Amino acid sequence: MRRYRFTVITVNYNNGNELRRTIESVVRQSFRDFEYIVIDGASTDNSLDVIREYSDDIDFWVSEPDSGVYNAMNKGLRHVHGDYVNFMNSGDTFHSPQVLEQIDREITGIDILFGNVCDANTGKRYGGIKAGSDVTFLTLKKEILCHQGTFYRSEIFDLHPYDETLKIIADWKLNVQSIVFDNCKVKTVDTIVANYDLTGMSSTQSKLHAQERQQVLSELFPPRILKDYERLYTDGEMPLVTLLPKLKQRGRLQRIIYLLVKYMLVITESQWLKKKRRNAE
């Protein structure tokens, strides 16, 4: 089986008109070393007609019932033959025909690339971080990093398939697992990858989003780490990331405190990671 540079996967359910826009944005890419997979959840609208219309441009497609969006995404991952995977789900579109061409120039030698997305309705940039920025646990907790603008090395999904018990935040859990715990190589770029449909489920269910995020944090981190983290980063207190630079810039005593606090955080994180590795063995 041929190996591709990219695999683009589209998940769809009863969204035929928007699916057409998504497919057209994929098949019009100027960079051609990619495969295209469409997973449909047994749609009853015109989705199948749209898929069949573009079947010559789709490497694999299926229409069958699924148990949710992440179940459908995992189905798509079973058919991947690309080095890097992007999910451009129904309703979202590549920002321009040159996106894959631009990403190909940036992605060599890394595990995850985060580009940017914009609101499909207003054209304004949505979430994301500046090019060259570090992606840390704090970044994942505070910033919006959409999967539409992200490219993952395909082997990551062998270790961390999407958690199908979650409704809207399994992609965030995967980011925490691969970036925080596996220390994957990450790159951020200014390229606008996708036009993001903000009417999607994960954009409109903020309460469920918060509940599932807390569930994932409780699953992945020990209670004492979470308590300290929440105490340091609660909105009502001065965030440590704001406090430390201020201490560093002031007098000698403040700089000493800065170095001590930074050292303590590094040691705490190191001890926790070592313990986790021992438990895994």
Side-chain angles (χ1 to χ4, degrees):
M1 179 64 70
R2 177 188 170 189
R3 189 73 178 178
Y4 296 85
R5 181 62 162 166
F6 299 107
T7 297
V8 180
I9 300 175
T10 294
V11 168
N12 174 74
Y13 179 65
N14 282 344
N15 196 29
N17 293 335
E18 294 303 312
L19 175 63
R20 179 185 297 277
R21 295 176 58 250
T22 300
I23 292 176
E24 287 182 351
S25 80
V26 175
V27 302
R28 289 176 179 173
Q29 288 298 299
S30 58
F31 185 87
R32 303 307 304 170
D33 188 13
F34 71 92
E35 65 174 347
Y36 189 31
I37 295 170
V38 177
I39 306 296
D40 180 74
S43 293
T44 56
D45 66 350
N46 65 331
S47 293
L48 285 183
D49 293 333
V50 173
I51 293 171
R52 291 190 180 104
E53 180 181 340
Y54 290 92
S55 60
D56 289 344
D57 297 302
I58 300 172
D59 295 273
F60 175 85
W61 70 270
V62 67
S63 181
E64 62 186 20
D66 56 55
S67 60
V69 62
Y70 293 117
N71 177 241
M73 291 166 77
N74 280 335
K75 283 184 183 181
L77 289 169
R78 298 186 192 114
H79 301 278
V80 165
H81 301 99
D83 297 316
Y84 294 92
V85 178
N86 169 268
F87 282 93
M88 194 61 60
N89 289 340
S90 180
D92 303 315
T93 60
F94 279 116
H95 186 65
S96 78
Q98 288 75 44
V99 168
L100 291 183
E101 185 177 340
Q102 294 168 345
I103 296 301
D104 181 62
R105 293 194 292 264
E106 300 277 3
I107 204 167
T108 300
I110 61 171
D111 300 309
I112 303 173
L113 181 142
F114 289 107
N116 292 304
V117 302
C118 65
D119 185 332
N121 296 314
T122 67
K124 294 181 179 179
R125 177 169 158 169
Y126 179 76
I129 56 178
K130 292 183 180 179
S133 301
D134 286 338
V135 178
T136 66
F137 180 41
L138 179 62
T139 309
L140 297 177
K141 197 165 188 294
K142 292 182 64 178
E143 306 297 340
I144 300 172
L145 300 172
C146 301
H147 69 252
Q148 294 87 343
T150 306
F151 292 79
Y152 296 94
R153 190 181 294 278
S154 55
E155 289 81 2
I156 287 175
F157 297 104
D158 295 334
L159 295 174
H160 306 296
Y162 288 110
D163 185 344
E164 296 178 19
T165 66
L166 300 169
K167 299 295 184 183
I168 60 175
I169 205 170
D171 49 335
W172 185 80
K173 179 180 180 180
L174 181 146
N175 285 337
V176 173
Q177 290 171 313
S178 57
I179 296 172
V180 177
F181 293 106
D182 296 348
N183 198 32
C184 284
K185 294 180 180 179
V186 180
K187 185 176 183 179
T188 58
V189 298
D190 278 332
T191 302
I192 298 178
V193 174
N195 303 318
Y196 179 31
D197 180 7
L198 287 173
T199 62
M201 180 174 63
S202 61
S203 301
T204 56
Q205 297 192 23
S206 57
K207 184 176 180 180
L208 179 59
H209 189 282
Q211 291 173 345
E212 288 197 347
R213 178 173 286 205
Q214 191 57 46
Q215 176 185 333
V216 170
L217 289 173
S218 299
E219 174 189 340
L220 297 180
F221 293 90
R224 288 186 174 87
I225 292 290
L226 287 180
K227 284 184 179 180
D228 284 344
Y229 184 87
E230 295 299 335
R231 180 173 56 84
L232 291 169
Y233 295 111
T234 299
D235 290 341
E237 300 178 20
M238 179 178 288
L240 197 59
V241 291
T242 303
L243 175 63
L244 287 181
K246 289 183 178 180
L247 289 173
K248 188 177 182 180
Q249 295 168 5
R250 294 182 180 179
R252 182 178 178 183
L253 177 58
Q254 285 82 3
R255 285 198 296 272
I256 292 174
I257 295 173
Y258 161 82
L259 292 172
L260 286 173
V261 172
K262 187 175 181 181
Y263 176 74
M264 289 170 62
L265 288 174
V266 170
I267 293 299
T268 300
E269 180 182 20
S270 176
Q271 290 174 342
W272 160 237
L273 290 175
K274 287 180 180 177
K275 183 177 180 181
K276 184 175 178 65
R277 293 191 190 101
R278 286 198 300 269
N279 291 338
E281 294 171 354

